[in-house]
PDB file of all heavy atoms in Angstrom:
ATOM      1  N   GLU B 271     -95.388-115.908  41.746  1.00  0.00           N
ATOM      2  CA  GLU B 271     -95.880-114.882  40.825  1.00  0.00           C
ATOM      3  C   GLU B 271     -97.313-114.527  41.202  1.00  0.00           C
ATOM      4  O   GLU B 271     -98.165-115.400  41.272  1.00  0.00           O
ATOM      5  CB  GLU B 271     -95.821-115.398  39.387  1.00  0.00           C
ATOM      6  CG  GLU B 271     -95.958-114.285  38.395  1.00  0.00           C
ATOM      7  CD  GLU B 271     -96.095-114.792  36.985  1.00  0.00           C
ATOM      8  OE1 GLU B 271     -96.191-116.015  36.784  1.00  0.00           O
ATOM      9  OE2 GLU B 271     -96.114-113.947  36.080  1.00  0.00           O
ATOM     10  N   PRO B 272     -97.608-113.236  41.447  1.00  0.00           N
ATOM     11  CA  PRO B 272     -98.957-112.869  41.887  1.00  0.00           C
ATOM     12  C   PRO B 272    -100.024-113.225  40.853  1.00  0.00           C
ATOM     13  O   PRO B 272     -99.776-113.159  39.645  1.00  0.00           O
ATOM     14  CB  PRO B 272     -98.884-111.351  42.055  1.00  0.00           C
ATOM     15  CG  PRO B 272     -97.453-111.005  42.078  1.00  0.00           C
ATOM     16  CD  PRO B 272     -96.719-112.076  41.346  1.00  0.00           C
ATOM     17  N   ALA B 273    -101.209-113.610  41.356  1.00  0.00           N
ATOM     18  CA  ALA B 273    -102.294-113.957  40.442  1.00  0.00           C
ATOM     19  C   ALA B 273    -102.936-112.705  39.847  1.00  0.00           C
ATOM     20  O   ALA B 273    -103.423-112.718  38.730  1.00  0.00           O
ATOM     21  CB  ALA B 273    -103.344-114.777  41.187  1.00  0.00           C
ATOM     22  N   THR B 274    -102.950-111.601  40.616  1.00  0.00           N
ATOM     23  CA  THR B 274    -103.493-110.347  40.082  1.00  0.00           C
ATOM     24  C   THR B 274    -102.366-109.531  39.470  1.00  0.00           C
ATOM     25  O   THR B 274    -101.206-109.722  39.785  1.00  0.00           O
ATOM     26  CB  THR B 274    -104.145-109.499  41.184  1.00  0.00           C
ATOM     27  OG1 THR B 274    -103.323-109.566  42.325  1.00  0.00           O
ATOM     28  CG2 THR B 274    -105.515-109.967  41.487  1.00  0.00           C
ATOM     29  N   GLU B 275    -102.746-108.589  38.606  1.00  0.00           N
ATOM     30  CA  GLU B 275    -101.713-107.796  37.933  1.00  0.00           C
ATOM     31  C   GLU B 275    -101.398-106.494  38.660  1.00  0.00           C
ATOM     32  O   GLU B 275    -100.470-105.800  38.311  1.00  0.00           O
ATOM     33  CB  GLU B 275    -102.157-107.461  36.510  1.00  0.00           C
ATOM     34  CG  GLU B 275    -102.152-108.638  35.586  1.00  0.00           C
ATOM     35  CD  GLU B 275    -103.508-108.820  34.925  1.00  0.00           C
ATOM     36  OE1 GLU B 275    -104.334-107.890  35.021  1.00  0.00           O
ATOM     37  OE2 GLU B 275    -103.741-109.879  34.338  1.00  0.00           O
ATOM     38  N   PHE B 276    -102.185-106.137  39.630  1.00  0.00           N
ATOM     39  CA  PHE B 276    -101.991-104.880  40.361  1.00  0.00           C
ATOM     40  C   PHE B 276    -102.037-103.667  39.446  1.00  0.00           C
ATOM     41  O   PHE B 276    -101.212-102.753  39.576  1.00  0.00           O
ATOM     42  CB  PHE B 276    -100.671-104.901  41.150  1.00  0.00           C
ATOM     43  CG  PHE B 276    -100.655-105.935  42.240  1.00  0.00           C
ATOM     44  CD1 PHE B 276     -99.894-107.076  42.124  1.00  0.00           C
ATOM     45  CD2 PHE B 276    -101.422-105.755  43.370  1.00  0.00           C
ATOM     46  CE1 PHE B 276     -99.894-108.024  43.123  1.00  0.00           C
ATOM     47  CE2 PHE B 276    -101.427-106.694  44.382  1.00  0.00           C
ATOM     48  CZ  PHE B 276    -100.662-107.835  44.251  1.00  0.00           C
ATOM     49  N   SER B 277    -102.931-103.685  38.477  1.00  0.00           N
ATOM     50  CA  SER B 277    -103.124-102.493  37.650  1.00  0.00           C
ATOM     51  C   SER B 277    -104.534-102.509  37.081  1.00  0.00           C
ATOM     52  O   SER B 277    -105.192-103.551  37.090  1.00  0.00           O
ATOM     53  CB  SER B 277    -102.114-102.465  36.520  1.00  0.00           C
ATOM     54  OG  SER B 277    -102.253-103.588  35.708  1.00  0.00           O
ATOM     55  N   ASP B 278    -104.992-101.370  36.576  1.00  0.00           N
ATOM     56  CA  ASP B 278    -106.337-101.192  36.027  1.00  0.00           C
ATOM     57  C   ASP B 278    -107.423-101.747  36.957  1.00  0.00           C
ATOM     58  O   ASP B 278    -108.089-102.741  36.663  1.00  0.00           O
ATOM     59  CB  ASP B 278    -106.460-101.887  34.658  1.00  0.00           C
ATOM     60  CG  ASP B 278    -105.829-101.025  33.577  1.00  0.00           C
ATOM     61  OD1 ASP B 278    -105.515 -99.859  33.888  1.00  0.00           O
ATOM     62  OD2 ASP B 278    -105.650-101.521  32.464  1.00  0.00           O
ATOM     63  N   TRP B 279    -107.592-101.074  38.066  1.00  0.00           N
ATOM     64  CA  TRP B 279    -108.511-101.572  39.084  1.00  0.00           C
ATOM     65  C   TRP B 279    -109.949-101.278  38.729  1.00  0.00           C
ATOM     66  O   TRP B 279    -110.248-100.208  38.252  1.00  0.00           O
ATOM     67  CB  TRP B 279    -108.191-100.915  40.412  1.00  0.00           C
ATOM     68  CG  TRP B 279    -106.789-101.130  40.789  1.00  0.00           C
ATOM     69  CD1 TRP B 279    -105.770-100.237  40.670  1.00  0.00           C
ATOM     70  CD2 TRP B 279    -106.226-102.309  41.324  1.00  0.00           C
ATOM     71  NE1 TRP B 279    -104.609-100.810  41.104  1.00  0.00           N
ATOM     72  CE2 TRP B 279    -104.862-102.067  41.509  1.00  0.00           C
ATOM     73  CE3 TRP B 279    -106.753-103.555  41.678  1.00  0.00           C
ATOM     74  CZ2 TRP B 279    -104.003-103.023  42.026  1.00  0.00           C
ATOM     75  CZ3 TRP B 279    -105.899-104.490  42.192  1.00  0.00           C
ATOM     76  CH2 TRP B 279    -104.544-104.224  42.366  1.00  0.00           C
ATOM     77  N   ASN B 280    -110.832-102.220  38.985  1.00  0.00           N
ATOM     78  CA  ASN B 280    -112.245-101.941  38.856  1.00  0.00           C
ATOM     79  C   ASN B 280    -112.986-102.383  40.104  1.00  0.00           C
ATOM     80  O   ASN B 280    -112.830-101.765  41.129  1.00  0.00           O
ATOM     81  CB  ASN B 280    -112.810-102.619  37.605  1.00  0.00           C
ATOM     82  CG  ASN B 280    -113.330-101.591  36.648  1.00  0.00           C
ATOM     83  OD1 ASN B 280    -113.944-100.639  37.098  1.00  0.00           O
ATOM     84  ND2 ASN B 280    -113.088-101.756  35.383  1.00  0.00           N
ATOM     85  N   GLU B 281    -113.724-103.485  40.003  1.00  0.00           N
ATOM     86  CA  GLU B 281    -114.403-103.971  41.195  1.00  0.00           C
ATOM     87  C   GLU B 281    -113.477-104.893  41.983  1.00  0.00           C
ATOM     88  O   GLU B 281    -112.733-105.672  41.399  1.00  0.00           O
ATOM     89  CB  GLU B 281    -115.670-104.745  40.829  1.00  0.00           C
ATOM     90  CG  GLU B 281    -116.881-103.880  40.698  1.00  0.00           C
ATOM     91  CD  GLU B 281    -117.102-103.449  39.271  1.00  0.00           C
ATOM     92  OE1 GLU B 281    -116.531-104.091  38.373  1.00  0.00           O
ATOM     93  OE2 GLU B 281    -117.842-102.473  39.060  1.00  0.00           O
ATOM     94  N   LEU B 282    -113.567-104.786  43.293  1.00  0.00           N
ATOM     95  CA  LEU B 282    -112.836-105.700  44.163  1.00  0.00           C
ATOM     96  C   LEU B 282    -113.832-106.279  45.160  1.00  0.00           C
ATOM     97  O   LEU B 282    -114.957-105.807  45.271  1.00  0.00           O
ATOM     98  CB  LEU B 282    -111.738-104.949  44.914  1.00  0.00           C
ATOM     99  CG  LEU B 282    -110.615-104.361  44.073  1.00  0.00           C
ATOM    100  CD1 LEU B 282    -109.649-103.605  44.956  1.00  0.00           C
ATOM    101  CD2 LEU B 282    -109.866-105.450  43.330  1.00  0.00           C
ATOM    102  N   PHE B 283    -113.417-107.329  45.877  1.00  0.00           N
ATOM    103  CA  PHE B 283    -114.274-107.931  46.892  1.00  0.00           C
ATOM    104  C   PHE B 283    -113.597-107.838  48.243  1.00  0.00           C
ATOM    105  O   PHE B 283    -112.422-108.182  48.363  1.00  0.00           O
ATOM    106  CB  PHE B 283    -114.557-109.395  46.577  1.00  0.00           C
ATOM    107  CG  PHE B 283    -115.104-109.618  45.214  1.00  0.00           C
ATOM    108  CD1 PHE B 283    -114.272-109.936  44.156  1.00  0.00           C
ATOM    109  CD2 PHE B 283    -116.457-109.484  44.981  1.00  0.00           C
ATOM    110  CE1 PHE B 283    -114.771-110.128  42.890  1.00  0.00           C
ATOM    111  CE2 PHE B 283    -116.964-109.668  43.715  1.00  0.00           C
ATOM    112  CZ  PHE B 283    -116.129-109.991  42.671  1.00  0.00           C
ATOM    113  N   VAL B 284    -114.331-107.362  49.217  1.00  0.00           N
ATOM    114  CA  VAL B 284    -113.817-107.390  50.579  1.00  0.00           C
ATOM    115  C   VAL B 284    -114.338-108.670  51.217  1.00  0.00           C
ATOM    116  O   VAL B 284    -115.521-108.974  51.142  1.00  0.00           O
ATOM    117  CB  VAL B 284    -114.294-106.170  51.376  1.00  0.00           C
ATOM    118  CG1 VAL B 284    -113.699-106.198  52.768  1.00  0.00           C
ATOM    119  CG2 VAL B 284    -113.903-104.897  50.669  1.00  0.00           C
ATOM    120  N   VAL B 285    -113.456-109.440  51.804  1.00  0.00           N
ATOM    121  CA  VAL B 285    -113.838-110.712  52.412  1.00  0.00           C
ATOM    122  C   VAL B 285    -114.177-110.470  53.869  1.00  0.00           C
ATOM    123  O   VAL B 285    -113.343-109.997  54.634  1.00  0.00           O
ATOM    124  CB  VAL B 285    -112.683-111.718  52.324  1.00  0.00           C
ATOM    125  CG1 VAL B 285    -113.134-113.065  52.840  1.00  0.00           C
ATOM    126  CG2 VAL B 285    -112.195-111.829  50.903  1.00  0.00           C
ATOM    127  N   ILE B 286    -115.417-110.761  54.227  1.00  0.00           N
ATOM    128  CA  ILE B 286    -115.842-110.536  55.600  1.00  0.00           C
ATOM    129  C   ILE B 286    -115.909-111.876  56.307  1.00  0.00           C
ATOM    130  O   ILE B 286    -116.700-112.749  55.956  1.00  0.00           O
ATOM    131  CB  ILE B 286    -117.187-109.800  55.634  1.00  0.00           C
ATOM    132  CG1 ILE B 286    -116.956-108.406  55.041  1.00  0.00           C
ATOM    133  CG2 ILE B 286    -117.729-109.714  57.037  1.00  0.00           C
ATOM    134  CD1 ILE B 286    -118.156-107.561  54.974  1.00  0.00           C
ATOM    135  N   THR B 287    -115.046-112.048  57.287  1.00  0.00           N
ATOM    136  CA  THR B 287    -115.017-113.309  58.017  1.00  0.00           C
ATOM    137  C   THR B 287    -116.150-113.322  59.020  1.00  0.00           C
ATOM    138  O   THR B 287    -116.447-112.311  59.637  1.00  0.00           O
ATOM    139  CB  THR B 287    -113.678-113.468  58.761  1.00  0.00           C
ATOM    140  OG1 THR B 287    -113.366-112.215  59.357  1.00  0.00           O
ATOM    141  CG2 THR B 287    -112.577-113.853  57.819  1.00  0.00           C
ATOM    142  N   PRO B 288    -116.818-114.475  59.169  1.00  0.00           N
ATOM    143  CA  PRO B 288    -117.963-114.532  60.089  1.00  0.00           C
ATOM    144  C   PRO B 288    -117.518-114.275  61.521  1.00  0.00           C
ATOM    145  O   PRO B 288    -116.466-114.725  61.952  1.00  0.00           O
ATOM    146  CB  PRO B 288    -118.490-115.953  59.908  1.00  0.00           C
ATOM    147  CG  PRO B 288    -117.373-116.724  59.315  1.00  0.00           C
ATOM    148  CD  PRO B 288    -116.566-115.758  58.522  1.00  0.00           C
ATOM    149  N   GLU B 289    -118.316-113.532  62.235  1.00  0.00           N
ATOM    150  CA  GLU B 289    -118.008-113.228  63.633  1.00  0.00           C
ATOM    151  C   GLU B 289    -118.217-114.472  64.486  1.00  0.00           C
ATOM    152  O   GLU B 289    -119.201-115.189  64.323  1.00  0.00           O
ATOM    153  CB  GLU B 289    -118.942-112.122  64.131  1.00  0.00           C
ATOM    154  CG  GLU B 289    -118.789-110.839  63.379  1.00  0.00           C
ATOM    155  CD  GLU B 289    -118.165-109.768  64.250  1.00  0.00           C
ATOM    156  OE1 GLU B 289    -118.145-109.948  65.480  1.00  0.00           O
ATOM    157  OE2 GLU B 289    -117.698-108.767  63.689  1.00  0.00           O
ATOM    158  N   VAL B 290    -117.291-114.717  65.363  1.00  0.00           N
ATOM    159  CA  VAL B 290    -117.430-115.847  66.271  1.00  0.00           C
ATOM    160  C   VAL B 290    -118.172-115.377  67.512  1.00  0.00           C
ATOM    161  O   VAL B 290    -117.748-114.437  68.165  1.00  0.00           O
ATOM    162  CB  VAL B 290    -116.044-116.388  66.671  1.00  0.00           C
ATOM    163  CG1 VAL B 290    -116.183-117.514  67.662  1.00  0.00           C
ATOM    164  CG2 VAL B 290    -115.293-116.835  65.441  1.00  0.00           C
TER     165      VAL B 290
END
Side-chain angles (χ1 to χ4, degrees):
Chain B
E271 195 188 6
T274 41
E275 289 125 13
F276 295 108
S277 60
D278 281 349
W279 304 101
N280 242 319
E281 272 94 18
L282 295 178
F283 306 94
V284 182
V285 185
I286 295 179
T287 43
E289 298 249 344
V290 177

